Amino acid sequence: MKKIKTALLSYGMSGKVFHSPFLKLHEGFDLVGSWERSTKLIQNDYPEATSFPTIESILENDTIELIVVNTPVATHYQYAKKALQAGKHIIVEKAFTTTVAEAEELSALAKEKKLKLAVFQNRRWDSDFKTVQKIVNDGILGELVEAEFHFDRYNPNLSLKQHKETVNEGAGILKDLGPHLIDQALYLFGYPKSVFADIRLTREHTQVDDYIDILLYYKEFRVRLKAGFFVREANPAYVLHGKKGSFLKPRGDVQEDDLKSGKKPNLDYWGTESQTNQGVLHTEVDGKIIREKVPSLQGNYYDFFDGVYNAIRNDAPEPVTAQEGTPVMQIIEAAIKSSAQQQIITL
């Protein structure tokens, strides 16, 4: 197995928590190091890694094949473009870019350069979503009437990270948690016909959006996507109603909390959530009404990185392609327009 030498563009929370543990676990990657500006932290966790002083020192390193663009959203386009122009494969954090035009340009550039570009939509590999996906694919609810996805939190305080709370093209919940919800909806149900959105500022002194309510219109059903910071008593993360029955699933994926606590991922029991967070299925099967708990499938972000390895070494499609990332940006742009005009936007 020829290892893919990989560098991060920052070693903050995403680099430390979401990327480096899986790059170290997967035998196909070699975590070379990270660009670190003021604080130098990567060598505390990985003594063999290099703390690069500039992005140029990474781009000019001919041994590095893959770059993880995990910097603030407003910088994704700039750094991703530089990496592609330098001949590097890339993983780009969500939100993919700040505009549809930027996403389309990066997609075209990667294709022109014959390079792989994967968008880091890791929530496709949450135990919650994988379980919901199976319920939908099995058709056990009958024809869907509506679905509602939530990414709710209770946190009235502003973030200490300036790029998250000052007005810029990448700030706000729409481009932070929104891409997770939108990507999951598009992955399950395809591209909608139209969009209506309500985007608000609810926290005291906030300058950026912190509440979203997005309605996706499909021919036969509707999908509502919601996220906000004033939900002390959580709603189910996933609510699906069909003509035969319903499925309600609380958010139960343990990966983010386990990673933040310092636990290292593995290929055995990782991503196994508590039985207390199992979803409730209430439907009709072969003429019989059933109401029962559904065991959750196992989640593992390792599968995303395994997909990136196969894309680069075996020319397989990326686990989340630029062509899948661009429609997410189209929904975000439509949501902004819809909220401003208080109108349904046809796609």
Side-chain angles (χ1 to χ4, degrees):
M1 180 177 284
K2 184 182 178 184
K3 289 181 179 287
I4 299 169
K5 290 188 178 295
T6 304
L8 308 172
L9 289 192
S10 73
Y11 197 68
M13 197 271 277
S14 74
K16 181 181 178 70
V17 171
F18 288 112
H19 295 287
S20 58
F22 295 97
L23 291 169
K24 293 300 291 186
L25 174 64
H26 197 293
E27 294 181 350
F29 294 97
D30 178 10
L31 179 58
V32 175
S34 178
W35 177 17
E36 296 188 283
R37 296 146 187 81
S38 53
T39 55
K40 310 292 183 179
L41 300 175
I42 193 169
Q43 291 179 341
N44 293 341
D45 297 325
Y46 306 103
E48 73 283 2
T50 299
S51 178
F52 292 96
T54 63
I55 188 173
E56 287 74 23
S57 58
I58 292 176
L59 298 178
E60 294 167 2
N61 187 321
D62 292 336
T63 69
I64 294 173
E65 293 183 73
L66 173 65
I67 291 177
V68 179
V69 182
N70 59 325
T71 51
V73 173
T75 67
H76 285 182
Y77 166 74
Q78 172 191 355
Y79 294 145
K81 185 175 181 179
K82 283 187 175 183
L84 291 170
Q85 289 174 330
K88 312 295 187 183
H89 304 289
I90 58 174
I91 295 171
V92 185
E93 268 276 10
K94 56 80 196 165
F96 180 14
T97 54
T98 62
T99 68
V100 173
E102 290 176 349
E104 290 175 340
E105 183 180 342
L106 292 178
S107 179
L109 182 59
K111 185 176 181 181
E112 174 192 334
K113 296 280 189 178
K114 294 182 172 56
L115 295 167
K116 297 296 184 178
L117 189 168
V119 183
F120 189 61
Q121 290 287 3
N122 59 310
R123 298 292 178 176
R124 290 189 188 182
W125 289 270
D126 276 0
S127 56
D128 310 313
F129 179 69
K130 289 179 68 177
T131 305
V132 168
Q133 183 182 22
K134 185 177 189 304
I135 291 291
V136 171
N137 290 343
D138 286 349
I140 198 167
L141 304 180
E143 183 182 342
L144 285 180
V145 175
E146 63 173 335
E148 190 166 316
F149 296 177
H150 285 254
F151 212 130
D152 297 324
R153 294 172 174 173
Y154 185 82
N155 185 9
N157 301 316
L158 302 186
S159 173
L160 297 177
K161 297 179 180 179
Q162 284 294 103
H163 69 270
K164 285 184 174 289
E165 297 294 355
T166 55
V167 178
N168 65 77
E169 289 298 312
I173 200 170
L174 179 62
K175 291 179 181 174
D176 182 19
L177 300 181
H180 288 315
L181 295 168
I182 295 168
D183 177 73
Q184 289 182 343
L186 299 190
Y187 191 55
L188 269 186
F189 306 121
Y191 202 64
K193 296 171 58 181
S194 53
V195 175
F196 180 79
D198 182 21
I199 304 170
R200 299 166 57 199
L201 285 68
T202 62
R203 295 169 301 161
E204 189 174 358
H205 304 306
T206 187
Q207 300 178 50
V208 302
D209 59 89
D210 56 14
Y211 171 95
I212 55 172
D213 184 355
I214 301 172
L215 191 60
L216 305 181
Y217 291 79
Y218 293 84
K219 184 178 180 181
E220 301 294 340
F221 63 98
R222 306 286 183 262
V223 178
R224 170 161 260 134
L225 310 174
K226 297 190 69 173
F229 288 108
F230 286 105
V231 183
R232 196 186 286 273
E233 184 67 30
N235 298 290
Y238 300 90
V239 178
L240 298 99
H241 298 298
K243 292 187 176 179
K244 284 188 176 181
S246 303
F247 183 65
L248 281 66
K249 175 71 177 73
R251 190 166 298 281
D253 189 85
V254 299
Q255 293 182 84
E256 180 174 351
D257 287 344
D258 283 352
L259 290 164
K260 285 180 176 177
S261 71
K263 294 180 181 179
K264 299 301 181 185
N266 58 71
L267 298 180
D268 299 320
Y269 55 84
W270 182 260
T272 302
E273 66 176 63
S274 168
Q275 290 186 1
T276 60
N277 288 319
Q278 290 180 353
V280 174
L281 175 67
H282 191 174
T283 191
E284 180 180 343
V285 178
D286 297 329
K288 180 182 178 182
I289 303 299
I290 63 167
R291 188 181 187 277
E292 60 187 21
K293 292 288 188 75
V294 176
S296 298
L297 297 181
Q298 186 177 352
N300 202 332
Y301 301 151
Y302 175 93
D303 292 339
F304 172 87
F305 292 92
D306 193 49
V308 171
Y309 179 85
N310 282 317
I312 293 173
R313 286 289 179 256
N314 302 318
D315 198 30
E318 300 91 330
V320 184
T321 67
Q323 290 73 34
E324 292 174 296
T326 300
V328 174
M329 299 312 304
Q330 291 170 341
I331 300 297
I332 287 175
E333 285 196 357
I336 294 170
K337 185 177 180 181
S338 172
S339 186
Q341 299 179 359
Q342 296 187 345
Q343 292 182 346
I344 295 173
I345 303 301
T346 301
L347 299 170

